[in-house]
Amino acid sequence: MAAYAMNHGAKMMEDQVKSFMPGAAAGALNMFGSVKYYFTVNNTYVVHRLKMLLCPFIHKDWRRIVQNEGNNTGVDVVYAPPSMDKNAPDLYIPLMSFVTYILIVGYIKGASGRFNPDVITEVSTYCCLMQLVEICLMKLGLYLLNSQINWLDLVSFTGYKYVALVINTVVHLILGYIPYYVVLAYTGIATSFFTLNGLKGTVPEPNHDQRRFRNYMLLAYVSRFDF
């Protein structure tokens, strides 16, 4: 009975919001639905995705599963969610690795006696700004290719690098410089390979004349921020 009352109340509130602010409500609901898609993960997906990130060279098929092909009337292609497709980008792993990286940096600063509350804000802001620059550059390249990709896909792919950053930082903290540089080289190559093939599997196939340009653009892009 209580659950029914809560659901009924939520439905009434949603109807009221839509009646007073139809455009804003629709936009907010669409935005929530879009973000929710990237958090539709399960344990199997997370484990498999981490394996792909750490050892992408053995993965063969990078194409995403299409649920709706779309058409020429403005209907976009609909891809299967991460829980149903191991090649689908997500935001759970980037978010968790981003938070972990920030906490590790805070710990390192604290252990060296240089911690202050502004460190977390400064590092977070710097990372977000750099990621925004990467997304803008990628959007520009895709515009030149006349290709479309969801901007949250780009947030996801540019966020996977935090997994490598966490690993590199922990290795440096525990094992020192020499193992750090070895791991840095490997994670740089692995992350570049993963990002390149992941984007190729997400970006719609261009025509024959643009395919080589697309591959060079993606290669230059991933090389820029992974090394």
Side-chain angles (χ1 to χ4, degrees), residues 55-223:
C55 193
F57 314 105
I58 60 176
H59 191 67
K60 302 302 180 183
D61 183 15
W62 294 86
R63 276 288 157 192
R64 295 171 64 179
I65 297 175
V66 177
Q67 289 186 324
N68 188 340
E69 292 285 353
N71 51 48
N72 296 326
T73 61
V75 178
D76 295 330
V77 175
V78 177
Y79 292 104
S83 59
M84 299 173 58
D85 181 12
K86 60 181 179 293
N87 290 326
D90 72 290
L91 290 176
Y92 175 79
I93 294 175
L95 178 60
M96 292 298 103
S97 55
F98 172 78
V99 173
T100 303
Y101 176 70
I102 299 301
L103 293 177
I104 291 175
V105 172
Y107 169 78
I108 293 174
K109 295 289 186 180
S112 61
R114 294 179 292 136
F115 179 81
N116 64 76
D118 294 333
V119 168
I120 301 297
T121 303
E122 291 172 358
V123 175
S124 301
T125 302
Y126 176 78
C127 290
C128 291
L129 288 176
M130 291 303 298
Q131 189 168 353
L132 180 61
V133 171
E134 294 163 10
I135 293 171
C136 291
L137 290 174
M138 193 62 201
K139 270 292 189 182
L140 176 61
L142 291 171
Y143 174 79
L144 296 176
L145 282 173
N146 197 26
S147 296
Q148 296 295 325
I149 183 174
N150 193 308
W151 71 276
L152 287 174
D153 286 353
L154 297 181
V155 174
S156 173
F157 281 111
T158 56
Y160 283 126
K161 66 178 177 291
Y162 293 112
V163 175
L165 286 174
V166 168
I167 295 173
N168 297 340
T169 306
V170 171
V171 169
H172 178 264
L173 185 64
I174 297 176
L175 301 178
Y177 283 100
I178 295 179
Y180 164 74
Y181 286 119
V182 174
V183 174
L184 176 65
Y186 176 80
T187 55
I189 295 172
T191 305
S192 296
F193 188 89
F194 170 87
T195 307
L196 175 63
N197 287 279
L199 285 171
K200 285 174 63 178
T202 298
V203 176
E205 281 290 334
N207 58 47
H208 179 74
D209 295 333
Q210 292 180 321
R211 188 169 300 158
R212 179 175 296 180
F213 174 70
R214 179 203 65 173
N215 293 340
Y216 284 141
M217 183 199 71
L218 293 178
L219 181 61
Y221 169 72
V222 298
S223 299

